[in-house]
Amino acid sequence: MKQERPKPPISGIIYGEFAFWIAIIGCTIATIGIMWYIFGSHHVMDPQIFLTHLLRGDTVDQIWKATTGDKSQYGYWFLNKLSYSDGLALAGVAISCWAAVIGTWGAFVGMLVSPEEKSRKMYYLYLIFILVMAIILTLCAMGVIRLRH
Amino acid sequence: MEKIKKRWLKIAFFILAPLVSIATLYAAQINPQVAKMTQHTVGMSPIMFFIMLLIVTTIMGIVAVLAGVGGGVIFTPIMMGFTPIDSYIIRTTGLFVAMAGALVAARPFLKRGITNIRLLFSAAVPYGVCAVIGALLAGYIHNTMGLTGEAFIRGALGIIVIGIGFVFILAGGRTEWPEVKTVDGFTERMALDMNYWEDSLNKVVHYKVTKAWLGLLLFCGVGLISGLFGMGAGWAMVPVFNLVMLVPLKVAATCSKVLISIGDSAAIWPYIEGGGMFPLFAVPCMIGLIVGTIIGTKIMFKIKAGWVRWLIIVIMFFAGIRLLLKAGKMLHWI
């Protein structure tokens, strides 16, 4: 008798789809941004000065000081600089980093509504695990869990 | 006879690889021409830097896939060992490239139901929490300990990387479908057993899991290392799943890939908050490693890649010793 393929859990499919497409969108934006950064002139940090200091082994603060004359900008500084090439590239990187956050919330909703997963033993334990992970990821992405400077 | 010969070859490799690494690195350090060449790179144009980084990381991605590891594992030690770039920036980028590669790779595994979602999220909690703690610790060391902290990070990573080299040599014991004889009470209550469709057998494989408590404990350590040193941790996750929890190898490998995408996404944010992400460095590395992984996956079925595994081991020894030398130099020990 031919065996039937088991149905993959819906929560996993949702996580995979969200994570993949958001990461791809983020990577595309980051690539466009970096091309503009290299070939254009509208940027926050001068690429040549940045490179010199990066390859000299300078720290984050020293690089910021040398390229912008200002102290380091932390967190989502690029949201106010989206019209700049490096701001846009960094926004793309940040979108990629949000992929798993949104994917995990999607997986939580998927598990919440899936009758197949509800019928399995210890359903609530895994629902809580996904919820905990989704909360941790969200808090990290929102900058709540961070080192104060 | 064959077994004894293999064992002697392994012992010879253990001794020779570190010795050759030390000799080569020492010779390079005292050679004035090498020092001159390193100084010249500071005048490189951004476009040249972008292309060079793209080529180097593409090669890294190909070699990593052929050796059966993720690109993130070799990226951080090589960059920290062989470039003058600040370690905090390298670790931020290392976590980002490991995460981006895993996010893109996770989709087919989840769509086909190979990844055990229960196993994944029960491991994600200890791994993710400890990876965040590791990332915060990295920021703390960077902000408060200065050069000593930098030396500590490089030295500790050097030891870990050499350890990974040994794990690669000794990891021959992995089994495709490990047999679970007894399931402990804790794992039984967790209900982690699952089934998936195995294409090579053309049938459903039902598997059990054991020693979940030990696996989850080990994931805390793996997460801490991943977050602190900014590297992918597939090299440690697959053995934990496969050798400790007795999960089938294919499920272990896919779970580890998806787990990296979740855990490293949590750990990356404290690094971004710390200002360590610079697009001109991060984006070409990300593109290169993803492209390299795709090329590597395509050619891995066409070539015999056994020697690549040994190449990775040599690279790991090289990078590890180089990191230890750098740490020693920073502390004025050598």
Side-chain angles (χ1 to χ4, degrees):
Chain A
M1 200 180 82
K2 203 170 180 269
Q3 281 184 314
E4 237 180 79
R5 278 172 189 264
K7 245 172 119 181
I10 188 80
S11 50
I13 297 176
I14 293 175
Y15 174 81
E17 292 299 320
F18 272 123
F20 178 81
W21 287 110
I22 295 169
I24 291 290
I25 291 167
C27 292
T28 310
I29 293 171
T31 309
I32 294 167
I34 208 67
M35 288 298 145
W36 181 22
Y37 184 53
I38 291 170
F39 296 109
S41 58
H42 198 57
H43 39 63
V44 180
M45 285 183 178
D46 184 87
Q48 190 64 63
I49 300 172
F50 163 74
L51 200 55
T52 307
H53 288 269
L54 180 81
L55 294 175
R56 205 186 273 173
D58 283 1
T59 61
V60 172
D61 291 329
Q62 288 167 330
I63 291 173
W64 269 97
K65 187 109 184 97
T67 49
T68 62
D70 210 350
K71 60 181 176 127
S72 296
Q73 304 284 309
Y74 299 108
Y76 288 96
W77 64 267
F78 50 86
L79 286 180
N80 298 321
K81 307 275 182 193
L82 287 176
S83 58
Y84 293 84
S85 55
D86 41 354
L88 182 72
L90 208 51
V93 168
I95 290 170
S96 300
C97 296
W98 266 91
V101 185
I102 297 166
T104 310
W105 279 112
F108 174 72
V109 174
M111 192 171 255
L112 202 64
V113 298
S114 163
E116 286 94 358
E117 291 183 52
K118 267 183 192 163
S119 65
R120 285 200 68 191
K121 229 169 91 185
M122 300 300 270
Y123 163 74
Y124 287 103
L125 176 72
Y126 292 99
L127 196 66
I128 291 168
F129 277 165
I130 300 183
L131 182 65
V132 167
M133 212 50 232
I135 291 170
I136 291 172
L137 282 166
T138 311
L139 292 177
C140 286
M142 287 170 69
V144 178
I145 300 176
R146 65 171 175 173
L147 206 65
R148 304 275 163 195
H149 295 277
Chain B
M1 194 66 191
E2 192 65 24
K3 239 182 177 177
I4 297 169
K5 204 175 156 189
K6 263 191 181 170
R7 190 173 293 165
W8 275 108
L9 272 172
K10 266 188 187 177
I11 293 169
F13 189 80
F14 273 143
I15 300 165
L16 280 175
L19 286 179
V20 173
S21 307
I22 292 168
T24 318
L25 292 169
Y26 184 70
Q29 246 176 0
I30 57 166
N31 187 341
Q33 260 186 327
V34 174
K36 212 176 158 190
M37 265 174 69
T38 314
Q39 270 185 349
H40 274 307
T41 55
V42 176
M44 193 188 288
S45 74
I47 181 76
M48 269 309 292
F49 177 74
F50 183 89
I51 294 168
M52 220 176 83
L53 216 50
L54 200 66
I55 294 168
V56 170
T57 48
T58 303
I59 295 168
M60 268 189 211
I62 295 171
V63 171
V65 167
L66 293 179
V69 292
V73 181
I74 56 172
F75 174 84
T76 307
I78 289 178
M79 285 293 174
M80 260 162 82
F82 298 99
T83 69
I85 300 168
D86 181 62
S87 85
Y88 193 76
I89 299 169
I90 293 174
R91 282 178 283 154
T92 308
T93 308
L95 263 186
F96 173 64
V97 296
M99 180 208 72
L103 282 169
V104 174
R107 188 181 173 223
F109 307 141
L110 292 157
K111 217 174 177 176
R112 292 172 65 189
I114 304 172
T115 307
N116 182 336
I117 208 83
R118 291 187 156 211
L119 196 59
L120 173 71
F121 279 103
S122 45
V125 176
Y127 176 79
V129 169
C130 290
V132 173
I133 293 171
L136 292 173
L137 199 61
Y140 178 77
I141 291 169
H142 185 257
N143 291 345
T144 57
M145 289 173 72
L147 205 62
T148 316
E150 183 85 351
F152 161 74
I153 291 289
R154 286 183 198 261
L157 183 62
I159 294 166
I160 287 169
V161 164
I162 293 169
I164 296 172
F166 282 112
V167 169
F168 285 162
I169 294 172
L170 305 169
R174 290 180 193 179
T175 40
E176 200 103 5
W177 291 288
E179 195 190 336
V180 179
K181 285 182 182 137
T182 50
V183 180
D184 57 285
F186 177 78
T187 315
E188 186 81 62
R189 275 195 294 278
M190 293 271 291
L192 287 163
D193 57 312
M194 201 83 156
N195 49 25
Y196 74 99
W197 179 264
E198 177 55 61
D199 278 330
S200 64
L201 301 173
N202 207 23
K203 69 169 192 177
V204 176
V205 171
H206 184 86
Y207 60 91
K208 285 181 177 173
V209 180
T210 188
K211 287 185 194 152
W213 60 273
L214 181 59
L216 301 186
L217 212 63
L218 289 170
F219 275 116
C220 292
V222 178
L224 198 69
I225 290 172
S226 178
L228 182 57
F229 298 106
M231 58 201 287
W235 58 272
M237 283 181 193
V238 178
V240 172
F241 278 132
N242 184 240
L243 301 176
V244 177
M245 299 170 82
L246 301 183
V247 176
L249 191 56
K250 200 180 259 184
V251 180
T254 59
C255 275
S256 118
K257 204 70 178 167
V258 186
L259 190 50
I260 290 172
S261 77
I262 299 172
D264 289 3
S265 290
I268 189 83
W269 287 102
Y271 278 102
I272 294 178
E273 288 286 339
M277 185 72 82
F278 293 100
L280 186 56
F281 184 52
V283 178
C285 294
M286 170 202 72
I287 300 170
L289 278 176
I290 291 178
V291 170
T293 308
I294 294 167
I295 297 171
T297 315
K298 290 222 184 298
I299 61 173
M300 76 185 292
F301 300 108
K302 292 175 188 161
I303 63 164
K304 271 195 164 184
W307 59 272
V308 183
R309 189 181 165 75
W310 292 99
L311 178 71
I312 286 275
I313 293 166
V314 172
I315 292 170
M316 286 307 208
F317 277 124
F318 252 99
I321 291 163
R322 171 82 182 169
L323 282 163
L324 286 174
L325 286 174
K326 265 195 173 181
K329 221 173 164 190
M330 278 173 170
L331 295 169
H332 303 292
W333 288 355
I334 44 173

